[in-house]
Amino acid sequence: MIKPAQLIRQKLRDPSARRAAIYTLILLIIWCFFYWRALHTFGPSTAISIYNSDAAIPVMMCNEERPVTVFSLYYYAADRWGGWPFLFAKSIRYLTGYRWTDQGLYAMQAFWIFFGALVLAALSRRDRLPVTLIYITVLCLHSRVHQLLFLLSQVYAWQLTAFLLGWYCLRRFLESYQENQTFKTPFQKQISKHIVWGFLVLWFSYFAVWSSPASAPFLIFLCGVESWRMYLKTEGARANKKFRRGITLGAALILSASLIERLQKMNYHRYGLKRYGNDFKTNFELDTGYLTENLKIHLNTLGKLSWWPLDLLPAVALLAIGIIYLYFHVSKRKSSLQRLREILSLDTTMLIVGCYGIACLNFVLVVLVHHVRLSLYDDRFLTLTHLLVPVSAMILLFMIFDLTAKFFKVRQYARSLLIVAGVIFLKVNFPAEVSSPQYQAIKETAFVLNQKAPRGVLMGGYWETYVFITFQERDALTPVPFEGQGYRTPWTPERLKQVDTVVVEYRRSKLGGTEGPPAQLQQHGYSLRLLEPKWYENGEHAFALYLNETRRSLQP
């Protein structure tokens, strides 16, 4: 039996294997370096990022001491955002005792984002290094991308890499279906590559759809792209059969994953209605009557970005290729058509089509659904479009450059120089690390609150409660937003039964106006009387101490 070390030495004697190993090593070095830079540049403590209550909820979910319930399957009180990353983090806490901080969760999220670059590299193995570099370049230099994608308060980081993994597994699943495999043992016959890859398609599709329901149409589209790739690679009458079979099998797995997630979500709604009197259901409706207005506003949003010329490049190129393909087909130029089919079936071409298609699909969904308008057309919904359009355009430019270098027989040197130039450009233009004074003030305020009122209750607006709790490692306060404000933890008002005093943030919460905190408060069925109007102040936050009169009156 050959030992692993001997096998490696034998492989490295092959010049092509040695080059591949060096190529992979260079890729991993570049990946690690820029991941390390991103950890220090885009985190929650930096000026680029924003740390608020929305960002604090995921950290709370990772450290939650309560048992896991159906309510934990999604971002608290929001069924548009799957909670599986935080359940995974919570299992790590259970096994190791590690207490998650905002920085720790950000490191895990950033790793997951950067892992998407390696998945794209696997989807275009011949061009894996340029593809990785392009993805990281857009990720780190496009201001709207890194301002949105790295936020702890957004779902897109978790969704993105999940459906990219689903895409990779779809390709391997469809490829394995066509392979004529020879099995040596009965066990190998039962556990074929096709079954394994089919399970992985189902697995990652489920996590992608669990992250966001929008992943389902993305994956169906990618299934069509991969089936088309098989069609282009197949000659004769078998091509249509392969296309139909590929899209049917792949779509069946994706729809099965969507069905599982749908049943899970229905149980979540049932649990919320039974336990908290609210099903926390998000209604997706067609924004009839506003589609033209929505389209104009979102196109204007894209046009304001300096990267907008890249938005049109893939569309123009794909349209031109489609016209040329149709011309060759109608004029029956078989040799030209075959060469074009070979170019279209390249992994890098499929990567361009897939990325641009998802970006366009995401844009269409943003225009169609009504909750985007209700959110005042926040461009966070365009995060995937902001990322994947430039990625597809830059890969297209690289492909044109590569084909030109091949024509002039300078491909090897040109590719190397381009990659070196790309790394230097990214290094020089990488955003500077700037700490956030606001983050430091929030952290300082949280520490003082924890010292002055350990295990107390903190009441205020939504944005003035949850944001402080994640910095309190021991004897943390319990956040209880005011009635009528958004709340994520419907069980926390019960804590008012157990405390004699309540800390109330009143300045940022705009409670009492310029006259200061009111003398009396009625919240969640409890009567609170002002004790200390200036209990603690720090910058834009001011806190008062109230007596819980209702609890006092119930005591014997």
Side-chain angles (χ1 to χ4, degrees), residues 14-33:
D14 180 8
S16 60
R18 196 159 53 243
R19 283 195 300 271
I22 295 172
Y23 201 66
T24 303
L25 180 61
I26 293 172
L27 184 152
L28 292 176
I29 291 173
I30 293 173
W31 186 92
C32 291
F33 175 76

mmCIF file of all heavy atoms in Angstrom, residues 14-33:
data_model
loop_
_atom_site.group_PDB
_atom_site.id
_atom_site.type_symbol
_atom_site.label_atom_id
_atom_site.label_comp_id
_atom_site.label_asym_id
_atom_site.label_seq_id
_atom_site.Cartn_x
_atom_site.Cartn_y
_atom_site.Cartn_z
ATOM 1 N N ASP A 14 5.825 14.908 -11.375
ATOM 2 C CA ASP A 14 5.191 15.289 -12.632
ATOM 3 C C ASP A 14 5.223 16.810 -12.750
ATOM 4 O O ASP A 14 4.693 17.512 -11.887
ATOM 5 C CB ASP A 14 3.742 14.776 -12.646
ATOM 6 C CG ASP A 14 3.026 15.133 -13.932
ATOM 7 O OD1 ASP A 14 3.677 15.637 -14.869
ATOM 8 O OD2 ASP A 14 1.797 14.904 -14.008
ATOM 9 N N PRO A 15 5.842 17.365 -13.819
ATOM 10 C CA PRO A 15 5.933 18.830 -13.949
ATOM 11 C C PRO A 15 4.576 19.524 -13.918
ATOM 12 O O PRO A 15 4.442 20.592 -13.313
ATOM 13 C CB PRO A 15 6.623 19.018 -15.310
ATOM 14 C CG PRO A 15 7.372 17.749 -15.532
ATOM 15 C CD PRO A 15 6.538 16.669 -14.903
ATOM 16 N N SER A 16 3.563 18.946 -14.569
ATOM 17 C CA SER A 16 2.240 19.582 -14.589
ATOM 18 C C SER A 16 1.618 19.604 -13.195
ATOM 19 O O SER A 16 0.999 20.590 -12.792
ATOM 20 C CB SER A 16 1.313 18.852 -15.566
ATOM 21 O OG SER A 16 1.147 17.498 -15.180
ATOM 22 N N ALA A 17 1.813 18.513 -12.436
ATOM 23 C CA ALA A 17 1.294 18.472 -11.060
ATOM 24 C C ALA A 17 2.038 19.460 -10.174
ATOM 25 O O ALA A 17 1.446 20.081 -9.287
ATOM 26 C CB ALA A 17 1.426 17.057 -10.507
ATOM 27 N N ARG A 18 3.343 19.612 -10.419
ATOM 28 C CA ARG A 18 4.141 20.558 -9.634
ATOM 29 C C ARG A 18 3.689 21.996 -9.898
ATOM 30 O O ARG A 18 3.554 22.792 -8.980
ATOM 31 C CB ARG A 18 5.622 20.379 -9.972
ATOM 32 C CG ARG A 18 6.563 21.015 -8.973
ATOM 33 C CD ARG A 18 7.955 20.419 -9.034
ATOM 34 N NE ARG A 18 8.509 20.425 -10.371
ATOM 35 C CZ ARG A 18 8.824 19.313 -11.068
ATOM 36 N NH1 ARG A 18 8.632 18.127 -10.527
ATOM 37 N NH2 ARG A 18 9.320 19.397 -12.280
ATOM 38 N N ARG A 19 3.418 22.293 -11.169
ATOM 39 C CA ARG A 19 2.929 23.631 -11.515
ATOM 40 C C ARG A 19 1.556 23.891 -10.880
ATOM 41 O O ARG A 19 1.293 24.994 -10.382
ATOM 42 C CB ARG A 19 2.832 23.783 -13.033
ATOM 43 C CG ARG A 19 4.170 24.017 -13.719
ATOM 44 C CD ARG A 19 3.971 24.521 -15.140
ATOM 45 N NE ARG A 19 3.224 23.563 -15.954
ATOM 46 C CZ ARG A 19 3.772 22.582 -16.655
ATOM 47 N NH1 ARG A 19 5.092 22.426 -16.642
ATOM 48 N NH2 ARG A 19 3.028 21.761 -17.363
ATOM 49 N N ALA A 20 0.699 22.870 -10.906
ATOM 50 C CA ALA A 20 -0.636 23.022 -10.316
ATOM 51 C C ALA A 20 -0.545 23.267 -8.810
ATOM 52 O O ALA A 20 -1.294 24.079 -8.249
ATOM 53 C CB ALA A 20 -1.483 21.784 -10.603
ATOM 54 N N ALA A 21 0.398 22.574 -8.150
ATOM 55 C CA ALA A 21 0.571 22.750 -6.708
ATOM 56 C C ALA A 21 1.059 24.165 -6.382
ATOM 57 O O ALA A 21 0.582 24.808 -5.437
ATOM 58 C CB ALA A 21 1.551 21.716 -6.168
ATOM 59 N N ILE A 22 2.016 24.658 -7.168
ATOM 60 C CA ILE A 22 2.526 26.014 -6.967
ATOM 61 C C ILE A 22 1.423 27.038 -7.221
ATOM 62 O O ILE A 22 1.256 28.010 -6.464
ATOM 63 C CB ILE A 22 3.735 26.271 -7.887
ATOM 64 C CG1 ILE A 22 4.905 25.363 -7.486
ATOM 65 C CG2 ILE A 22 4.152 27.744 -7.837
ATOM 66 C CD1 ILE A 22 6.071 25.400 -8.449
ATOM 67 N N TYR A 23 0.658 26.813 -8.276
ATOM 68 C CA TYR A 23 -0.452 27.698 -8.638
ATOM 69 C C TYR A 23 -1.467 27.772 -7.500
ATOM 70 O O TYR A 23 -1.923 28.847 -7.119
ATOM 71 C CB TYR A 23 -1.100 27.133 -9.900
ATOM 72 C CG TYR A 23 -1.914 28.121 -10.710
ATOM 73 C CD1 TYR A 23 -1.305 29.199 -11.338
ATOM 74 C CD2 TYR A 23 -3.285 27.954 -10.861
ATOM 75 C CE1 TYR A 23 -2.047 30.087 -12.101
ATOM 76 C CE2 TYR A 23 -4.039 28.839 -11.613
ATOM 77 C CZ TYR A 23 -3.402 29.902 -12.236
ATOM 78 O OH TYR A 23 -4.140 30.785 -12.980
ATOM 79 N N THR A 24 -1.796 26.604 -6.933
ATOM 80 C CA THR A 24 -2.754 26.548 -5.830
ATOM 81 C C THR A 24 -2.197 27.225 -4.587
ATOM 82 O O THR A 24 -2.921 27.921 -3.862
ATOM 83 C CB THR A 24 -3.120 25.085 -5.514
ATOM 84 O OG1 THR A 24 -3.643 24.465 -6.691
ATOM 85 C CG2 THR A 24 -4.146 25.002 -4.396
ATOM 86 N N LEU A 25 -0.921 27.035 -4.321
ATOM 87 C CA LEU A 25 -0.281 27.664 -3.170
ATOM 88 C C LEU A 25 -0.332 29.186 -3.289
ATOM 89 O O LEU A 25 -0.641 29.884 -2.308
ATOM 90 C CB LEU A 25 1.166 27.184 -3.045
ATOM 91 C CG LEU A 25 1.969 27.770 -1.876
ATOM 92 C CD1 LEU A 25 1.330 27.396 -0.542
ATOM 93 C CD2 LEU A 25 3.420 27.295 -1.930
ATOM 94 N N ILE A 26 -0.036 29.712 -4.471
ATOM 95 C CA ILE A 26 -0.098 31.156 -4.696
ATOM 96 C C ILE A 26 -1.518 31.659 -4.457
ATOM 97 O O ILE A 26 -1.736 32.699 -3.813
ATOM 98 C CB ILE A 26 0.371 31.504 -6.123
ATOM 99 C CG1 ILE A 26 1.864 31.188 -6.279
ATOM 100 C CG2 ILE A 26 0.102 32.971 -6.435
ATOM 101 C CD1 ILE A 26 2.367 31.311 -7.700
ATOM 102 N N LEU A 27 -2.505 30.920 -4.957
ATOM 103 C CA LEU A 27 -3.908 31.301 -4.777
ATOM 104 C C LEU A 27 -4.259 31.400 -3.294
ATOM 105 O O LEU A 27 -4.874 32.373 -2.848
ATOM 106 C CB LEU A 27 -4.806 30.281 -5.482
ATOM 107 C CG LEU A 27 -6.320 30.545 -5.507
ATOM 108 C CD1 LEU A 27 -6.942 29.896 -6.746
ATOM 109 C CD2 LEU A 27 -7.026 29.975 -4.274
ATOM 110 N N LEU A 28 -3.844 30.395 -2.518
ATOM 111 C CA LEU A 28 -4.169 30.374 -1.091
ATOM 112 C C LEU A 28 -3.452 31.476 -0.325
ATOM 113 O O LEU A 28 -3.997 32.048 0.623
ATOM 114 C CB LEU A 28 -3.826 29.002 -0.504
ATOM 115 C CG LEU A 28 -4.702 27.839 -0.994
ATOM 116 C CD1 LEU A 28 -4.201 26.510 -0.416
ATOM 117 C CD2 LEU A 28 -6.162 28.057 -0.614
ATOM 118 N N ILE A 29 -2.235 31.802 -0.739
ATOM 119 C CA ILE A 29 -1.501 32.902 -0.092
ATOM 120 C C ILE A 29 -2.216 34.223 -0.325
ATOM 121 O O ILE A 29 -2.409 35.027 0.606
ATOM 122 C CB ILE A 29 -0.051 32.960 -0.607
ATOM 123 C CG1 ILE A 29 0.747 31.742 -0.102
ATOM 124 C CG2 ILE A 29 0.622 34.261 -0.175
ATOM 125 C CD1 ILE A 29 2.129 31.632 -0.706
ATOM 126 N N ILE A 30 -2.624 34.469 -1.570
ATOM 127 C CA ILE A 30 -3.368 35.702 -1.887
ATOM 128 C C ILE A 30 -4.674 35.745 -1.104
ATOM 129 O O ILE A 30 -5.037 36.770 -0.522
ATOM 130 C CB ILE A 30 -3.636 35.773 -3.408
ATOM 131 C CG1 ILE A 30 -2.322 35.950 -4.170
ATOM 132 C CG2 ILE A 30 -4.608 36.907 -3.729
ATOM 133 C CD1 ILE A 30 -2.459 35.857 -5.680
ATOM 134 N N TRP A 31 -5.368 34.621 -1.079
ATOM 135 C CA TRP A 31 -6.658 34.532 -0.375
ATOM 136 C C TRP A 31 -6.480 34.838 1.117
ATOM 137 O O TRP A 31 -7.228 35.633 1.686
ATOM 138 C CB TRP A 31 -7.232 33.140 -0.569
ATOM 139 C CG TRP A 31 -8.617 32.944 -0.024
ATOM 140 C CD1 TRP A 31 -9.791 33.099 -0.680
ATOM 141 C CD2 TRP A 31 -8.964 32.545 1.315
ATOM 142 N NE1 TRP A 31 -10.856 32.835 0.152
ATOM 143 C CE2 TRP A 31 -10.382 32.494 1.380
ATOM 144 C CE3 TRP A 31 -8.227 32.231 2.450
ATOM 145 C CZ2 TRP A 31 -11.058 32.135 2.543
ATOM 146 C CZ3 TRP A 31 -8.906 31.881 3.618
ATOM 147 C CH2 TRP A 31 -10.296 31.830 3.658
ATOM 148 N N CYS A 32 -5.499 34.209 1.746
ATOM 149 C CA CYS A 32 -5.265 34.407 3.186
ATOM 150 C C CYS A 32 -4.861 35.842 3.503
ATOM 151 O O CYS A 32 -5.310 36.420 4.505
ATOM 152 C CB CYS A 32 -4.193 33.432 3.684
ATOM 153 S SG CYS A 32 -4.708 31.706 3.713
ATOM 154 N N PHE A 33 -4.030 36.423 2.656
ATOM 155 C CA PHE A 33 -3.557 37.778 2.919
ATOM 156 C C PHE A 33 -4.710 38.775 2.914
ATOM 157 O O PHE A 33 -4.860 39.589 3.839
ATOM 158 C CB PHE A 33 -2.499 38.192 1.888
ATOM 159 C CG PHE A 33 -2.059 39.619 2.025
ATOM 160 C CD1 PHE A 33 -1.204 39.995 3.043
ATOM 161 C CD2 PHE A 33 -2.525 40.590 1.147
ATOM 162 C CE1 PHE A 33 -0.805 41.324 3.180
ATOM 163 C CE2 PHE A 33 -2.132 41.916 1.275
ATOM 164 C CZ PHE A 33 -1.270 42.275 2.299
#
